Amino acid sequence: MSDVDKGCAAVGRGASTAIRTSKKSRYRPGCLWLLAGAIGIVALVASSLGIALFISEVVTGLAVQRALYYKGDVHIDSEIARPLIGSEQTFDLAVTVWLRVEEYEDDIDDEEMSEHPRFSPISPAIPLYSDIIFRGLRLRDKNAFATVNFTVPTAYFRKSDLTNYDLRGSVVLLHTSPSQIDKIIDYSTSIPRFIETFPVRSWPFPLNSSRVGKKTLSDKALESFGASLPLLEFHNIRKRCEKSEYDFYEEDDESISSTTEFKSPLTHHPYIVTRTQIRIVDETALFDRRAYLEKHRILKQISCKQQAILFPSIHDCDRSYANAGHVETAITLKRADKKGINDVVYSPYISFSKSVGPKDLLPIPVHRQICSTTEDTIQAAADDRETVDVSWKLSFSGWSFPKLAFLEEMEKLDRQTRFDMETSDHHLALAHDKVELTDGFYGYKHRQDSHPRRRSLLLFLQLVLSILLVCSDGFYWFTRTTSVGISTLGTLLFAGSKFITIVVPDFVTASLHNEGVFEWLGTLFSITISLFPVVFMVKTVFHLTSSRLERSLWSRWVPHRMSLTHAERASQRIEDQMSLWFKGSIIIGVFVIYYAFSPHSYPVIPAILPAALSDDYYHSWLIDSWPYFAFPMDITGIFFQILLTWQSKSYAGSYKVTPLLSLGLILTRFVEYIPGVVGPYDARPRLVAHEFAELVLTSIRLWQSLTHPHI
């Protein structure tokens, strides 16, 4: 037989071996995959139902609004209700801060006293600040910022019967001349006359100005659709009684109500809200007058639960856009032509964002805890102050009504602010950053120079790229039937790094949590799923198979090692050209570098996020030491694969697109450190040297994938 014939026979044997290997590695679905599919289908159906119900609520609200739109001849004024504020009409916004007092001051205006009798569910209050803060706004304006500075006396907050409304803010829209409100002859509000409303601005206005007489009809009409919000929230606070057991005032169930967000003011500390977004609906469409007035009449009859409870109050009134909206106040204007037909205009809708973060809450510096020792009582009260200076950061944005309707439905899902104010600054910064990202997703910026939507986009890209990388690696190793071009040592090091990274943190955390049986089962299931690519890596480099042998029924479940093909032996010889001394030197050198200099924790760009305290996270010697093993194994594993690719002039170990995905993931993390792109944010972590090493190695892998053929 000639040499050519021998070569052809060898190629035939190699091809047949490859075919047999492919057949032995053929995937067969089992019960585990069927169970996983069933669970996935159930989860998909459940989530789809939840999303469908949510969308149904939003669509219903939008349909009610669109039913008011006028569809006839725009020249028939008697059938139209116009907006009070047009698209080009400018207006101002006035803000007032109110503090509850025991009784009204002696110099209070007689008219205001008559509107707020002493026997009233609304407690008397004095204005601390009242002035115009935004001027020349339009409905479509976005992200206008202002700050209101005022001083709050703290003596009142030592009382036990506090509510969220004891410190209150209010906003009223003021017209700029010329305006339609100058022609007002009457107005109607949906709130019944027997229900007392909150005052929304001081009189005379601005605060401490000279008296200007009684309020005009236009003043009262503008104030009728003004909005108020509580500026107090109740949360826990860090311990002041250092040397004694302590408690708050005795629990009193009667102090818990909707005006305290169902938190007892006796067992929580009062905090001042220092950031609020003022929202106004950018709506200038023409309404059908008959439909609009009919809806206003119905709302006036059923508002504030007047048909359900005996003594309704302003706290029972639902001011949501879906319920009240522009129907809250209907205003009648006198026509200039005096033909006997008056104009009807609808009021704009003003509301507030209910989202605040931990850094937006200012604790009032008063001691409300009961210390069991005199020493602690004196020490705790030493930090009290008679007044506290507050900077109330305000922003304004005009929103379309579909967007606001969607946001109000989202706000219903989480009506209370839940923060652990006793935790460290590290966790408070993370909690606040989560709020800022969520607000940014809805279009609400906390600061002028922040870009939370860009950060959200980067985080979304990182999530997508991470999922694609996991799927790419898993599918690659699951379908891999040959080890040609794959570094055995590099793959084992890389697989070992993945194993440590997946198993150790989850296992140790579950152990320290003292979790129950079901939690342990969930942890084991999560670890098992995550380890699938690692198992197939080991299977590939050791040439293992679990295909059935004819001589035994049960031998199909026993792993067997396949014989190497000619190409696999050739690939192994190329890798063996590197001496054991060289391989060992590389591994030991990288481990020494990580042990001596800790690149995984050395900050190239320092963190803005406050450092975590010792008790912020669970610690053990395994948690502290696993990075010193996993990261060097990861680096050396990739390095050996790069060397084999360079020697063999062929690319293997992943799909060609995988290095591109990895590089994209790394670069999106790096972009988060560019202030011009994402702006400043207080939860920015440090950028460590290990990530630069990953960047270099990934770039080399990408270059190799572009210049070498794929096996």
Side-chain angles (χ1 to χ4, degrees):
M1 182 180 294
S2 66
D3 294 339
V4 176
D5 295 334
K6 292 180 181 179
C8 293
V11 171
R13 289 194 297 270
S16 62
T17 303
I19 294 173
R20 290 196 299 270
T21 302
S22 177
K23 290 181 179 180
K24 293 177 181 179
S25 302
R26 186 177 297 171
Y27 167 70
R28 298 181 178 89
C31 296
L32 179 62
W33 296 102
L34 293 177
L35 177 61
I39 294 175
I41 293 174
V42 172
L44 180 63
V45 171
S47 59
S48 300
L49 289 176
I51 294 173
L53 292 175
F54 175 80
I55 295 176
S56 175
E57 292 289 334
V58 176
V59 170
T60 301
L62 299 182
V64 172
Q65 171 77 0
R66 292 194 174 96
L68 297 177
Y69 286 164
Y70 180 69
K71 302 177 180 63
D73 187 355
V74 297
H75 299 290
I76 305 178
D77 293 334
S78 60
E79 298 180 0
I80 294 174
R82 301 180 184 275
L84 175 63
I85 304 296
S87 59
E88 298 302 324
Q89 173 72 45
T90 60
F91 57 90
D92 302 334
L93 287 181
V95 167
T96 305
V97 179
W98 305 86
L99 176 65
R100 173 184 168 186
V101 294
E102 293 300 321
E103 57 183 14
Y104 290 107
E105 295 181 348
D106 296 336
D107 59 346
I108 192 171
D109 186 84
D110 294 337
E111 182 181 6
E112 190 171 348
M113 174 67 80
S114 64
E115 292 180 358
H116 306 284
R118 294 180 182 273
F119 300 100
S120 168
I122 297 181
S123 302
I126 58 171
L128 302 178
Y129 177 93
S130 187
D131 204 347
I132 296 175
I133 59 165
F134 292 110
R135 297 181 182 272
L137 295 174
R138 289 181 173 85
L139 294 177
R140 62 176 179 271
D141 289 345
K142 303 286 185 183
N143 295 319
F145 293 88
T147 301
V148 173
N149 298 309
F150 58 93
T151 300
V152 179
T154 61
Y156 177 82
F157 297 99
R158 292 186 176 91
K159 296 173 63 65
S160 59
D161 58 337
L162 299 177
T163 71
N164 294 74
Y165 285 88
D166 289 348
L167 186 67
R168 179 175 58 86
S170 58
V171 175
V172 61
L173 182 147
L174 302 179
H175 66 93
T176 55
S177 296
S179 173
Q180 297 185 88
I181 198 69
D182 297 330
K183 299 179 291 184
I184 184 174
I185 59 176
D186 195 11
Y187 75 96
S188 174
T189 176
S190 60
I191 300 177
R193 293 183 177 273
F194 58 83
I195 293 181
E196 183 184 4
T197 59
F198 288 115
V200 291
R201 63 169 166 168
S202 66
W203 196 262
F205 176 83
L207 185 64
N208 299 325
S209 62
S210 59
R211 292 186 175 273
V212 293
K214 296 183 178 181
K215 296 177 182 177
T216 64
L217 186 62
S218 62
D219 290 327
K220 295 179 180 180
L222 293 173
E223 293 179 2
S224 67
F225 57 87
S228 295
L229 79 158
L231 293 181
L232 281 187
E233 288 193 3
F234 296 96
H235 300 276
N236 57 354
I237 196 170
R238 294 174 184 174
K239 179 179 179 180
R240 278 196 180 187
C241 304
E242 297 293 340
K243 300 181 180 179
S244 61
E245 296 294 330
Y246 75 99
D247 201 345
F248 287 84
Y249 298 100
E250 294 182 0
E251 182 66 71
D252 180 11
D253 292 338
E254 295 181 358
S255 64
I256 302 177
S257 66
S258 60
T259 60
T260 63
E261 294 185 353
F262 300 98
K263 295 180 180 179
S264 172
L266 305 180
T267 57
H268 295 79
H269 193 84
Y271 289 76
I272 299 176
V273 176
T274 62
R275 181 180 54 80
T276 302
Q277 186 197 40
I278 304 171
R279 308 180 300 208
I280 192 166
V281 176
D282 183 9
E283 180 61 270
T284 58
L286 299 178
F287 286 176
D288 186 286
R289 180 184 295 195
R290 180 174 299 179
Y292 173 76
L293 293 178
E294 178 64 17
K295 186 176 180 181
H296 175 77
R297 182 187 65 81
I298 296 175
L299 179 62
K300 192 170 185 177
Q301 292 178 348
I302 64 175
S303 62
C304 305
K305 303 179 182 179
Q306 55 184 297
Q307 296 181 356
I309 56 180
L310 186 59
F311 299 106
S313 70
I314 189 63
H315 300 297
D316 300 310
C317 300
D318 180 11
R319 276 201 76 249
S320 66
Y321 187 76
N323 182 67
H326 302 289
V327 191
E328 185 177 21
T329 299
I331 301 173
T332 305
L333 306 178
K334 186 176 182 179
R335 289 180 59 89
D337 53 17
K338 300 181 181 180
K339 292 183 178 180
I341 301 176
N342 297 319
D343 288 331
V344 174
V345 296
Y346 60 84
S347 61
Y349 177 75
I350 304 173
S351 65
F352 307 98
S353 169
K354 299 178 181 179
S355 175
V356 295
K359 292 188 176 182
D360 302 322
L361 300 173
L362 176 66
I364 297 178
V366 293
H367 176 56
R368 292 167 49 85
Q369 302 170 2
I370 297 177
C371 300
S372 59
T373 66
T374 305
E375 180 183 358
D376 269 350
T377 302
I378 296 174
Q379 180 64 33
D383 296 329
D384 288 5
R385 287 183 288 169
E386 293 184 359
T387 61
V388 57
D389 295 327
V390 180
S391 293
W392 187 20
K393 296 175 284 293
L394 297 170
S395 63
F396 167 84
S397 288
W399 293 46
S400 63
F401 89 87
K403 187 175 181 180
L404 184 64
F406 170 80
L407 184 59
E408 284 189 345
E409 292 298 325
M410 292 296 296
E411 289 176 343
K412 291 179 182 179
L413 302 179
D414 189 11
R415 299 184 178 182
Q416 296 188 25
T417 304
R418 301 179 180 89
F419 298 119
D420 181 11
M421 304 300 290
E422 295 184 23
T423 190
S424 66
D425 294 337
H426 174 82
H427 284 305
L428 289 177
L430 291 176
H432 186 85
D433 187 64
K434 182 179 179 181
V435 173
E436 187 170 355
L437 282 176
T438 304
D439 290 343
F441 175 77
Y442 297 129
Y444 170 23
K445 297 171 63 173
H446 287 200
R447 291 173 287 189
Q448 185 72 49
D449 56 349
S450 65
H451 303 288
R453 281 190 171 180
R454 297 180 186 177
R455 286 184 57 211
S456 299
L457 177 60
L458 289 174
L459 293 175
F460 176 74
L461 289 176
Q462 291 173 16
L463 175 63
V464 172
L465 290 173
S466 299
I467 294 174
L468 291 177
L469 279 171
V470 171
C471 295
S472 173
D473 284 339
F475 193 74
Y476 177 84
W477 291 105
F478 179 73
T479 58
R480 188 71 178 176
T481 59
T482 178
S483 61
V484 176
I486 295 177
S487 171
T488 302
L489 178 59
T491 302
L492 291 178
L493 287 170
F494 188 75
S497 171
K498 291 293 183 183
F499 180 85
I500 295 174
T501 304
I502 294 170
V503 174
V504 173
D506 290 347
F507 180 80
V508 174
T509 302
S511 301
L512 295 176
H513 266 288
N514 295 320
E515 295 181 344
V517 176
F518 291 103
E519 288 80 4
W520 267 107
L521 290 176
T523 301
L524 292 176
F525 179 78
S526 175
I527 292 175
T528 302
I529 296 298
S530 302
L531 286 178
F532 274 164
V534 177
V535 173
F536 290 113
M537 288 181 194
V538 176
K539 168 184 174 294
T540 300
V541 296
F542 283 124
H543 311 93
L544 299 176
T545 182
S546 58
S547 58
R548 180 177 176 179
L549 299 179
E550 298 298 336
R551 63 178 179 271
S552 174
L553 176 64
W554 300 103
S555 62
R556 62 178 301 180
W557 306 112
V558 179
H560 303 279
R561 187 169 186 179
M562 297 182 297
S563 59
L564 299 181
T565 64
H566 173 73
E568 289 172 337
R569 287 194 297 269
S571 177
Q572 189 68 48
R573 285 194 298 269
I574 294 176
E575 184 176 12
D576 291 340
Q577 292 177 2
M578 292 183 288
S579 65
L580 293 178
W581 181 89
F582 175 78
K583 295 177 181 178
S585 299
I586 294 295
I587 295 174
I588 294 174
V590 174
F591 268 83
V592 168
I593 291 174
Y594 271 80
Y595 181 79
F597 301 103
S598 302
H600 58 279
S601 59
Y602 180 80
V604 178
I605 299 179
I608 300 178
L609 176 69
L613 301 179
S614 58
D615 56 349
D616 281 347
Y617 299 99
Y618 290 101
H619 286 278
S620 72
W621 69 270
L622 278 176
I623 290 291
D624 297 334
S625 60
W626 74 262
Y628 292 93
F629 295 93
F631 290 137
M633 293 171 68
D634 177 62
I635 294 296
T636 52
I638 298 175
F639 179 76
F640 285 131
Q641 182 60 53
I642 289 175
L643 286 181
L644 181 60
T645 301
W646 174 69
Q647 291 177 312
S648 64
K649 306 302 181 183
S650 58
Y651 183 85
S654 69
Y655 292 119
K656 281 197 169 187
V657 72
T658 302
L660 181 62
L661 297 176
S662 299
L663 185 62
L665 179 60
I666 295 173
L667 291 179
T668 55
R669 292 202 299 261
F670 277 46
V671 172
E672 292 183 346
Y673 294 85
I674 304 177
V677 177
V678 299
Y681 64 100
D682 298 333
R684 191 190 75 183
R686 62 190 177 184
L687 183 63
V688 297
H690 174 76
E691 297 193 55
F692 284 90
E694 287 186 329
L695 175 64
V696 172
L697 295 178
T698 303
S699 300
I700 296 175
R701 287 284 288 168
L702 177 61
W703 177 79
Q704 289 181 335
S705 69
L706 297 175
T707 57
H708 295 305
H710 185 266
I711 299 179

